[in-house]
Structures are given as C-alpha cells and as structure tokens.
Amino acid sequence: MKGSKLTIKHQVTIPRDVRQALSLKAGDQVDFAIENGRAILTRVDESDMEWARFIQTQMPEWSDPHEDTYWADL
C-alpha cells in the first residue's frame, strides 16, 4: 500500500506506480468512490467524459444543484 500526505489545500500526490498502473497523466479526470470506509480512485475513460458532456447539454436539469437537493431523500 502506498501513502501520500494531505496538503493544507487538501491535495495529495498520486504515487508514480499508481499513476502508471492506471495510465494517469496530467489533466486526466479521476473519480472517487467510498466503499466500506475506503476511498477508491478510478481513472475516467474519455468516452465516459464525452457522454457526460452530451448529457449535460441535452438534459441540463441533471446537473442542477436544486434538483439534487429536491431528490436527495430518495
């Protein structure tokens, strides 16, 4: 297991072997998930980003924070 120190700006450096294993480079998008008290880092595929951008343009209500608040209890 690799570690990294959290900076005052709440940033961390992803260790080189982790970056290499996920084929990460500067500017890549990553996702975080919490499962059983652990954070999981996943590289976002560019085709997923294209789909997300398309959805945001076609269905802007999906990115509306007011909608998120409305549906939060479901």
Side-chain angles (χ1 to χ4, degrees):
M1 183 176 290
K2 294 287 183 171
S4 188
K5 186 176 181 179
L6 190 67
T7 70
I8 196 163
K9 293 175 129 184
H10 302 104
Q11 298 170 329
V12 295
T13 298
I14 300 171
R16 180 185 312 189
D17 58 338
V18 175
R19 292 191 316 264
Q20 290 173 341
L22 296 177
S23 301
L24 291 173
K25 59 186 180 308
D28 282 348
Q29 181 80 23
V30 295
D31 278 341
F32 295 94
I34 305 297
E35 292 183 9
N36 299 322
R38 294 177 178 246
I40 299 171
L41 169 74
T42 307
R43 180 180 187 274
V44 175
D45 188 309
E46 183 57 34
S47 62
D48 293 339
M49 292 300 299
E50 290 175 19
W51 176 251
R53 285 190 289 269
F54 171 76
I55 291 297
Q56 286 177 338
T57 61
Q58 300 302 311
M59 300 177 177
E61 66 275 12
W62 284 23
S63 300
D64 185 345
H66 294 96
E67 288 286 319
D68 292 343
T69 303
Y70 182 79
W71 298 105
D73 293 334
L74 293 180

